[in-house]
Amino acid sequence: ILNVEQSPQSLHVQEGDSTNFTCSFPSSNFYALHWYRWETAKSPEALFVMTLNGDEKKKGRISATLNTKEGYSYLYIKGSQPEDSATYLCAFRWAGSYQLTFGKGTKLSVIP
Amino acid sequence: DTGVSQNPRHKITKRGQNVTFRCDPISEHNRLYWYRQTLGQGPEFLTYFQNEAQLEKSRLLSDRFSAERPKGSFSTLEIQRTEQGDSAMYLCASSSRRDPTNEQFFGPGTRLTVL
């Protein structure tokens, strides 16, 4: 059984604050780590796919890092805006399979 | 719109009825996935197709569930004799064999409520 854990479960921040979340996953048999943003009533939006230990990816104010040896990834949001309010999901893909195993997500609320 | 589409977006049914959902992937994507999300959980994998072949199935996919992708394009997910525990968001995703990262693009989901 694969366990993908995300913390915190939910987070409230003020507009302009920077924040970060954690995703932990099995360190063995790793193939890729995906991050998604899911707003209510919309499709989950792909943010990043990371495959190499030490990977760092950035999209605007959002960035992510990957440590496959210890089995964790961080997602950072700089200068949070109300439109960043969403649930952020990470998903682990192990070698030999195409399925994704998701964490429960971190629900971010940005207060104007 | 060239994204993944799903129909219907919402379905309310009575326990014991059969329901069928449809997913249209991004047109050039040959891989298609079904996931289910229940309250408070992340999406859970149900099944995966490469073209028309169903290559992976989760233990979650009981014998009341069947998925097809007859021509390697759209897919249907049927649930027979629905139970209240089947109430969930059913998500479809697709990916391209040309993408080495196999990034999966999701549709908006079908929310099923079983009364």
Side-chain angles (χ1 to χ4, degrees), chain A residues 63-107:
Chain A
S63 60
T65 61
L66 179 68
N67 183 324
T68 61
K69 294 187 185 306
E70 297 181 39
Y72 65 83
S73 175
Y74 294 134
L75 188 78
Y76 301 91
I77 302 179
K78 185 178 178 181
S80 303
Q81 299 297 308
E83 58 265 30
D84 296 330
S85 297
T87 295
Y88 291 81
L89 292 162
C90 71
F92 170 85
R93 179 184 162 197
W94 73 89
S97 176
Y98 289 101
Q99 65 178 267
L100 297 180
T101 301
F102 283 85
K104 294 182 180 181
T106 293
K107 185 173 182 180

Side-chain angles (χ1 to χ4, degrees), chain A residues 1 9 31-32 34-36 38 41-49 51 57 89 93-94 96-105, chain B residues 4 9 31 33 35 37 40-45 48 50 55-59 89 91 95 100-109:
Chain A
I1 297 177
Q9 188 175 352
Y31 190 87
H34 297 240
W35 280 100
Y36 288 88
W38 195 2
K42 294 187 177 179
S43 304
E45 175 194 355
L47 291 175
F48 305 113
V49 182
T51 57
K57 299 227 170 169
L89 292 162
R93 179 184 162 197
W94 73 89
S97 176
Y98 289 101
Q99 65 178 267
L100 297 180
T101 301
F102 283 85
K104 294 182 180 181
Chain B
V4 178
R9 294 289 304 273
R31 294 177 180 143
Y33 314 80
Y35 292 83
Q37 191 212 22
Q41 303 296 317
E44 296 171 295
F45 171 79
Y48 152 64
Q50 182 159 292
L55 298 184
E56 289 185 51
K57 284 174 64 172
S58 164
R59 292 170 300 168
M89 175 74 85
L91 291 163
S95 67
T101 69
N102 199 55
E103 186 166 35
Q104 295 183 22
F105 295 85
F106 281 81

